[in-house]
Amino acid sequence: QKEVEQDPGPLSVPEGAIVSLNCTYSNSAFQYFMWYRQYSRKGPELLMYTYSSGNKEDGRFTAQVDKSSKYISLFIRDSQPSDSATYLCAMKRGSQGNLIFGKGTKLSVKP
Amino acid sequence: EAGVTQFPSHSVIEKGQTVTLRCDPISGHDNLYWYRRVMGKEIKFLLHFVKESKQDESGMPNNRFLAERTGGTYSTLKVQPAELEDSGVYFCASSQVTGRIGSPLHFGNGTRLTVT
């Protein structure tokens, strides 16, 4: 079983839709959870960084962590064509530890 | 603030040749990481420097890979001799050494390595 599972998609939505992206994980030792956005031929760009359980909101983006279910989510409100990218979840055990990534979900927002 | 920069952006070499990848982290970031994405797979950890010391090199695939960070600034990753399965995108990331909460990793745009 992989440590982090993420549906690779692709996911296609119309502009303005609410997008829900998810990852599940198996290791209860993970405490730090991140979402990265990656455009083609670019490096991953940090979107959200959360520690432990709960919600975090930043503009149109909301990250949720449910440690009891080992499940994290990223919601994008009022999606825009510029949100079209691959979204990667990542997590780590300790504050300085290495990241474990999901495979990434490719999102396309159609105008 | 300049981001993490990697050079070259793309390298095509023949099997058996040597390639050296370079990473310049964000100024002041003591943590430096190397990751790799092989086609169709997840991004995977290779190793972690704190300043010039290797903190964790558990992800290095074999002894054909050598990473250095002399002086604790930029880092190089050398593959010698390269094999076909080494093809992929090599990412470098850096972060500050902070307290309990930690700080997020900032990634470069990667070096796309093709071994033919």
Side-chain angles (χ1 to χ4, degrees):
Chain A
Q1 181 188 12
K2 288 186 178 177
E3 283 193 284
V4 179
E5 297 277 2
Q6 182 176 12
D7 185 342
L11 179 62
S12 182
V13 301
E15 183 175 355
I18 296 174
V19 176
S20 173
L21 304 167
N22 312 292
C23 287
T24 58
Y25 62 95
S26 58
N27 192 334
S28 57
F30 288 135
Q31 295 188 75
Y32 299 85
F33 304 91
M34 283 134 278
W35 285 95
Y36 284 85
R37 176 176 62 195
Q38 187 177 18
Y39 293 113
S40 181
R41 303 284 173 156
K42 296 291 188 182
E45 170 197 6
L46 182 70
L47 278 179
M48 303 290 277
Y49 180 83
T50 55
Y51 170 68
S52 196
S53 283
N55 293 1
K56 184 173 182 178
E57 188 173 321
D58 184 1
R60 296 184 295 111
F61 299 90
T62 299
Q64 287 185 350
V65 174
D66 182 349
K67 291 188 74 179
S68 62
S69 301
K70 298 190 183 71
Y71 187 88
I72 68 171
S73 301
L74 177 72
F75 297 96
I76 307 174
R77 289 183 299 281
D78 187 26
S79 56
Q80 303 295 308
S82 58
D83 295 328
S84 298
T86 295
Y87 289 80
L88 301 152
C89 65
M91 46 201 80
K92 57 181 178 176
R93 299 170 185 81
S95 61
Q96 308 300 330
N98 56 286
L99 294 179
I100 309 298
F101 280 89
K103 261 192 169 182
T105 299
K106 187 167 184 178
L107 171 68
S108 178
V109 180
K110 304 292 187 187
Chain B
E1 173 185 81
V4 176
T5 55
Q6 292 186 245
F7 182 83
S9 58
H10 193 184
S11 179
V12 181
I13 61 171
E14 292 183 354
K15 176 183 171 179
Q17 289 186 321
T18 297
V19 63
T20 300
L21 315 180
R22 174 172 168 141
C23 169
D24 286 76
I26 293 172
S27 178
H29 282 193
D30 287 337
N31 284 318
L32 187 149
Y33 303 81
W34 284 98
Y35 286 80
R36 177 175 74 170
R37 183 167 196 160
V38 173
M39 195 189 318
K41 303 283 188 181
E42 302 86 352
I43 297 174
K44 289 203 170 173
F45 167 78
L46 295 178
L47 90 159
H48 171 204
F49 284 99
V50 178
K51 296 185 178 179
E52 67 275 9
S53 299
K54 290 177 185 173
Q55 184 77 10
D56 180 356
E57 51 185 329
S58 60
M60 294 288 263
N62 51 61
N63 59 9
R64 295 185 293 103
F65 289 76
L66 176 64
E68 294 180 323
R69 193 183 182 194
T70 307
T73 53
Y74 72 91
S75 175
T76 57
L77 179 65
K78 180 160 60 173
V79 185
Q80 179 183 28
E83 298 288 345
L84 297 179
E85 64 264 25
D86 300 333
S87 296
V89 183
Y90 290 77
F91 291 105
C92 176
S94 70
S95 71
Q96 294 175 312
V97 176
T98 58
R100 184 178 68 88
I101 298 299
S103 69
L105 272 62
H106 299 270
F107 283 80
N109 285 332
T111 293
R112 186 173 299 271
L113 175 64
T114 303
V115 183
T116 63

